[in-house]
Structures are given as structure tokens and as C-alpha cells.
Amino acid sequence: MRESDRVTRAVSRGALTAALGLTLLATSGSAAGPAGHSSLEARFLDSAAGRDWPGPGRTYGEQHFSPLTQINARNVSQLGLAWSLDLDVGNSVTQPIAVNGVLYFVTGTGILHAVDAVSGRELWRYDARVWEHETDKMRAAWGTRGVTWWNGVAYFGTMDGRLIAIDAASGKERWTVETTQHGDGRFITGAPRVFDGKVLIGHGGADWAAIRGYVTCYDAATGRQLWRFYTVPGNPAGGFESEAMKMAAATWHGEWWKQGGGGTAWNAMSYDPETHTVFIGTGNGAPWNHKVRSAGQGDNLFLSSIVALDADSGAYKWHYQTNPGENWDYNAAMDMELADLTIDGSPRKVLMTAPKNGFFYVIDRLNGKLISATPFAHVTWASGIDLTTGRPIEVPGSRFENGPFGMAPGPVGAHSWLPMAYSPQSRLAYIPVIEMEMKLYDAFQKPEDWRRPPFLANNGADGVDMDETKPKGSSALVALDPVAGKIAWRVPTPTAVSGGVLATAGGLVFQGTVDNRFSAYAAGTGKRVWSFNAGAPVIAPPIAYTVNGRQYVTVLSGSGGSLVLVGDAFKDHPVGYREQARRVLTFAIGGRMRLPRAVPYVLKPVSDPGFAPNPQAELRGYAYYAQTCIMCHGRDASALGGAAPDLRASPAILSPDTFHAVARDGALQQLGMPPFRDLSDSMIEDIRQYVRMKAREAGAKVR
Ligand code: HEC
């Protein structure tokens, strides 16, 4: 692997120099940004021309909007594939960035790729070799999904909790910092953000371990730590890190610190250069259940909040909490997009966000005051948001005080980490919406009876139960007018997964779907005006940029992450882990490339004549499987989402030695299969028994 990396790097150096040379020519004379900003910074301003896409949401304001118009509603029918690049590593639902004609994106648990945006040739790759560092954190499955660029350096986080700075031209490491502790259960899936020579990173993990969330800010040039902001208070006996933590602690009860509290800022951040403020979106409580976490009392700051911090010092400025006393995994960690809107005749500087709980919030970003909250999905837990207090009006029963309650949105959320987009041209926000109701209830007699599950996956304190009487969820692309507080149009999309969104000044909205399509919609009406058969699901967020004056749109195809757990999303569109290609797809006007014909995936269960049923072992095996393997190998051992091989078709389940070597000893850890050294021989054998039974069941259906 290493040797071949070196060869690739040597071969590609020529191509890279050529690419850089060309971009220098193309941009000479146009490098100066708007007055008062360096050309470096100009790329991140909403007024930028859109040549590059240097950070997750393109600019500091994170609108996922491109001002480019070359590809537009009139010529989109001529949009075609310019090139494609096959990816050998899993987790291809990540978003690329584009700077100076080079694309950067992350796959797996921490592999950064650099690809020439014109030819599609890989220039270099940097493998952070997560398995050498800490394999336990690889188990969370989600994979790393973001990278950002600043001053010739690409920054990304790894599943094992490192923040790594890589020279964008050579692929060589500049510096690495550990932003988490070994064994602490914190892992990084989200992208770092840069502003003003600093780089900011959060982490996830509150559903898995007893942790407190924090974000850490580093000097972008050196990796020196500048500040850290905790999102929930720790044990008061240890003293508070800041006045903000003291204030937050007054909203917690019982011995919350023993379970960590949660509130991780695992995904969204944005930055306002005018006021020098960073905004972080925080996650759910750990555990979910308010009764267990905080004796059922208090707002529990800063869970499910947008927190504004001073960019220089990390000092608290204001917060807005979407769900006081969070109880349902209702993250507020979804992208926060900044815009200047005219509301009731006055110009307002706003922050817009569509968190899991189903309301679209418009917030005054100067003071955190709520301006409006519009439901963008089916909502059963609240009848509305009180605009005076900013607090939700909760529906009686929604804290399951009277037994199971049908929560809509469910814990997956009406909107998750796949970003929405806001177009200042159409003045609409485009939200990838998930509609999935779930029944929630207290899974214990008394709160003190709750125990964190022994192995890995921890769904919080609550029993989570799909309501079998309801359909398995649906999804849509929803255009919402944030000023009028009205839905402008709504296009249903297949299954309960809805891909990341890009809006452009060409009057187009791009989004991929699970049924292998990558589509463009008319921004004003939602009419589908173009579509491409990618031969694999397209879920990742697309981007737009130019090289040598030509506009491109790039998106990754394939699957990965937590999506395999979303209902039956892939039942009608199965993805084979090894059978379906994962690709980088780049489109341009006049692109003519064709993809090889995709063969639909068909499960072929292994033949296992030696199998003898053992219901007790199968039941135990199911319980272990559901806490460990399910994250990647799917519910009922059906990996139709393509995040890992379908074990029912794997010869590895026929041999105890092979199965143990892979599942416990890490034989495939370099390829993303984490070792489970904490499972005993008999537990592994029970899991094998369970999977063999599932293979037998599937075989009976096929034959
Ligand atoms: C974080 C995701 C993840 C989790 C969790 C996970 N696996 Fe895997 N597993 C993978 C991936 C990815 C591969 C494919 C590696 C490769 O490319 O060969 C794999 C491969 C395997 C294989 C080999 C299959 C084959 O045909 O090559 C077996 C067996 C297996 N896993 C068993 C398990 C068991 C048992 C568990 C739970 C104890 C588990 N895995 C949990 C990701 C995961």
C-alpha cells in the first residue's frame, strides 16, 4: 500500500505542477478580493465569484450555493459526465472541496484524496492509518466525511480523533493533533472549519460513551491549541472552565456528569467575519432520556443548541436552544446557513437551520433571538414554537409520560447531516427531508434501572421501536421560503434517505437519490430538468466550481455511514459492497463519458449444508450482533445499504477460524472492518450461528 502510494505520488507530480501552472495563469490579476479582505479570505466570502469551493458549505456562511451560471436551466440538457474515478475504499457519501483545479475529499475512516479536477487523475492520497491508532473508534461506522482548505493546506479529522493538516500540493503531513483522548469514545466524522488563520473541530460519540462535548480551536499554521469550549458542564466539584459552564450547570440536575451529558458539536459550524463570531450546532443529550440524564428537570444547556462564540477567545456570546430538556435524540447539529434577509421591511442578519426536530428556524445572528420557526416535515411532538419565549409548545405525552408516543420526526430526524442549500437568488432554502415516525417509550421501570449497554451501540435510555403499523418512512426535497415561512414546493424522493443539496445561480438545485439518479431541479418550481443514471446511489452533497473558466459539478456516488440503518431505505435499491462501484463523478456541459453498465445487485446466500439450528445460540448471537455488527452489516444481517459485505453471502461465516480472525483479531482492519477483541470466543461463535441462520433463511427464499 505504502509503496504504491509513493509510486502514485511520483507519477502524479508532473500532472499537479501542470494543473497549478494553469490555474496561476487563469487567475493572475483577479486574486484581489473585496476591499479589506485578503485574497485568501476572499474565497470564503459570500461575495466570492465561486471559482473555488474551499470549505464544506463553500463560504463562511455555508449556504451550499454556487454563484456560477454557466450551467443553467437553459443548457442543463447538455450536461454530461466529463470523467469518473473509481474508489476502492468504502464510505463515499462525503463531500469534496475544490481549490485551484484540485478536488480533495475523504473516504473510509480517514483517507484524504487529491484529484485533478480536469482529468480525474488521482494526484496523491494520504491514509491516516486509523487502525494503527485506535480500532475501537472505527466501530461507529459513520466514517469521516469532510475536509476544508486554508492557505495551501487541507485539514481533516479522523475517526480516531486526530485533526491532520496536509500540504495541499504535495500530500505531505504538516502537523497532527489529538483532539480527543485514547479510549474516550469521541470520534470525528464532521469537517473542520477554518477562519482567520484558525481551524476549529468538534467530535461525536455521545450515543456511544459517557462524554461531554467540546470544540477545539487550533492555529492553522502550527496546530497549537488556542481555545476549547465545552458544550455541557462537568462535575461542579472539579470547578467550571468558564462562566458559561457555571450558567449551564444551573440547568442540570442529579449527577449528570456521570453519563457525560452529550451535546457534541459533531457536524455544523459557520462563521460571521463581520462580528467575528463562530456558531456551533450541538447534539442530543447522553443518554437521550431526560429522566435518566437530569432527573427529568432543567433545560440542560447547551444541548440541542446553536451557540455563538467569540472567534478569537472561544468566549460565549449567546445561545438558542431548540429543545430544552432534550429527550429524543433531537440534534441541533444540522448546517447553519447565514444570510441577509429583508423581514417585515427591515434588513436582518440571520442564521437559518433545519435541525432534526422538524422546524426551520430563522434566528437573528447578532443576538440569538428567534425570528420565525416553520415546520418543514410532519411534526407530532410540538404544536409550534412560541416566538416570544423561543420555546417549543410540547404536545402532552411526547415525553412518553403516558406510555409509548409516536414521535415525528423520529430520532433519525426530519433533516440530518446531509446539508440543505440556500439560494440568495431564488430566496429559497432547499432541505433534504426525511419523514420517519417512531414509537418511543421508557424502557425501564425506574430511571435508576437504566444501564448503558455493555458493548457499543447505546441508543440512550429509551426503548426505540419502529411502529409496525406505519410505513417505513419517506423522503422529499422541500423548498422553503424563510421570509414568508411557507413551503414553496415539495418533490417526493425515493425511500427514507434524501441526499445533500447544492443550489446554483444557474437557477438549478442538484440532488442525488437512492435510486441511482443524480438530478437537477428548477430552483423556482421543483420541476426535474435533468437526471443522470449513476448506477449506484447518489447521497453525498454535490459541489460546483470552475477550472480554466469552465464550470464543473462534482458528486461522489456509492453508500456508507449510518444510512444503512434508515428504515428499509435500500430494500428496493440494494447495493453490493463489492459489486457496486463507488465513484467520483464530474459533470460539465458537453460531457460525453459513459459509465460501464451497472448490474443490479442480487444476493447469493452461501450454501451451508453443515448448519444445524440452535435457537438459544441464535438468540444470543442476535443480541450481540445488534449491538456491534449492525452498524455496518445492517439490520437482520442484510447489508443492502452497501456499507459492508452482506455476511449472508460471505464464505467467511462457514469457517470458525476465518470468522474469528476477521471479527475479533482484525484480519481486515486496514479495509475498515474493526476488530472486536472484547467479545469472547463463545460470543463470536453465537454471532456466527445467528448469521448462518440468516443465510439459511435467505437461501430458502432464493431457492
Ligand atoms: C465499522 C463497520 C463495521 C462493523 C461495525 C463490523 N464490520 Fe465486518 N466488515 C466491515 C467492512 C468494511 C468489511 C469489508 C472489508 C473488506 O473490504 O474486505 C467487513 C468484513 C467482514 C467480514 C468478511 C466478509 C467477507 O466476505 O469478506 C466478516 C466475517 C465480518 N466483517 C464480520 C463482522 C462481525 C461479526 C461484526 C460484529 C462483531 C462486524 N463485522 C462489524 C465493516 C464492519
Side-chain angles (χ1 to χ4, degrees), residues 138 577-578 628-629 632-633 645 647 650 659 662 671-674 676:
M138 293 166 59
Y577 182 76
R578 297 208 174 87
T628 51
C629 327
C632 303
H633 292 284
L647 294 180
S650 170
F659 196 78
V662 172
L671 296 165
M673 167 60 209
F676 288 82

Side-chain angles (χ1 to χ4, degrees), residues 279-608:
F279 307 98
I280 59 169
T282 68
N284 54 283
W288 297 354
N289 196 310
H290 194 220
K291 297 187 197 91
V292 177
R293 192 179 62 237
S294 182
Q297 297 169 50
D299 287 354
N300 294 182
L301 294 175
F302 296 104
L303 297 182
S304 306
S305 299
I306 290 115
V307 187
L309 303 173
D310 179 84
D312 282 333
S313 63
Y316 165 89
K317 286 190 169 179
W318 56 255
H319 75 276
Y320 176 79
Q321 189 174 40
T322 58
N323 283 92
E326 198 284 311
N327 201 42
W328 313 275
D329 195 19
Y330 275 175
N331 277 273
M334 284 68 226
D335 45 307
M336 296 166 294
E337 309 200 348
L338 312 185
D340 295 347
L341 303 182
T342 304
I343 298 173
D344 294 334
S346 314
R348 301 291 292 267
K349 298 202 171 291
V350 308
L351 176 153
M352 296 177 286
T353 189
K356 277 187 176 184
N357 76 15
F359 287 92
F360 184 93
Y361 293 84
V362 180
I363 294 165
D364 185 325
R365 70 174 183 267
L366 300 179
N367 57 23
K369 204 167 154 20
L370 180 65
I371 296 172
S372 67
T374 308
F376 62 89
H378 179 50
V379 172
T380 59
W381 68 276
S383 57
I385 311 292
D386 183 327
L387 291 184
T388 322
T389 61
R391 297 174 76 91
I393 305 154
E394 287 179 15
V395 168
S398 61
R399 290 183 179 264
F400 9 105
E401 61 272 29
N402 310 321
F405 186 86
M407 287 297 291
V412 173
H415 175 215
S416 192
W417 59 272
L418 286 156
M420 62 177 185
Y422 172 74
S423 165
Q425 188 189 57
S426 67
R427 302 206 188 112
L428 296 174
Y430 304 95
I431 316 162
V433 175
I434 300 166
E435 300 272 9
M436 200 154 57
E437 190 163 344
M438 272 196 195
K439 240 183 203 174
L440 296 195
Y441 57 93
D442 293 332
F444 42 79
Q445 295 295 317
K446 291 183 264 131
E448 54 274 26
D449 291 344
W450 178 74
R451 293 281 170 279
R452 195 170 281 278
F455 298 108
L456 223 171
N458 164 32
N459 271 335
D462 317 327
V464 176
D465 193 6
M466 291 285 291
D467 186 343
E468 297 300 335
T469 63
K470 291 256 161 55
K472 299 282 189 210
S474 61
S475 66
L477 177 61
V478 169
L480 187 142
D481 179 339
V483 173
K486 286 210 175 81
I487 288 175
W489 52 260
R490 186 181 190 281
V491 177
T493 47
T495 80
V497 171
S498 194
V501 183
L502 159 71
T504 76
L508 297 170
V509 177
F510 289 89
Q511 190 197 30
T513 38
V514 169
D515 61 351
N516 300 355
R517 296 227 263 181
F518 182 49
S519 304
Y521 300 87
T525 62
K527 183 172 180 272
R528 194 201 301 255
V529 289
W530 174 85
S531 164
F532 176 85
N533 181 352
V538 182
I539 296 154
I543 63 166
Y545 54 94
T546 62
V547 188
N548 302 329
R550 187 178 192 205
Q551 183 183 347
Y552 296 90
V553 171
T554 294
V555 71
L556 270 60
S557 70
S559 170
S562 53
L563 299 164
V564 288
L565 295 176
V566 178
D568 284 344
F570 293 89
K571 201 165 101 281
D572 298 328
H573 309 281
V575 183
Y577 182 76
R578 297 208 174 87
E579 290 77 5
Q580 236 82 42
R582 292 171 273 271
R583 296 191 172 104
V584 185
L585 303 171
T586 291
F587 300 87
I589 294 296
R592 289 192 192 288
M593 200 196 142
R594 283 177 176 274
L595 289 177
R597 236 177 98 86
V599 182
Y601 174 65
V602 180
L603 169 70
K604 298 192 191 81
V606 283
S607 150
D608 184 2

Side-chain angles (χ1 to χ4, degrees), residues 685-699:
E685 201 44 31
D686 287 345
I687 295 176
R688 191 171 78 92
Q689 178 71 22
Y690 165 73
V691 178
R692 290 171 77 192
M693 177 196 60
K694 285 290 166 189
R696 165 66 58 99
E697 284 175 12

Side-chain angles (χ1 to χ4, degrees), residues 209-211 233-235 254-261 286-287 293 450 452:
I211 59 168
N235 186 347
E255 296 181 312
W256 74 87
W257 58 89
K258 292 196 169 157
Q259 294 300 343
R293 192 179 62 237
W450 178 74
R452 195 170 281 278

Side-chain angles (χ1 to χ4, degrees), residues 88 90 109 137-142 159 456 577-578 582 624-625 627-633 643-647 649-653 658-660 662-664 668-676 679 684 687-688 691:
D88 47 2
T109 51
K137 292 185 181 181
M138 293 166 59
R139 295 179 184 186
W142 315 147
M159 282 295 282
L456 223 171
Y577 182 76
R578 297 208 174 87
R582 292 171 273 271
Y624 305 140
Y625 180 94
Q627 288 174 8
T628 51
C629 327
I630 195 171
M631 286 300 158
C632 303
H633 292 284
D646 196 315
L647 294 180
S650 170
I653 68 172
T658 311
F659 196 78
H660 284 234
V662 172
R664 204 190 41 211
L668 298 177
Q669 60 184 7
Q670 301 201 18
L671 296 165
M673 167 60 209
F676 288 82
L679 298 185
I684 297 267
I687 295 176
R688 191 171 78 92
V691 178

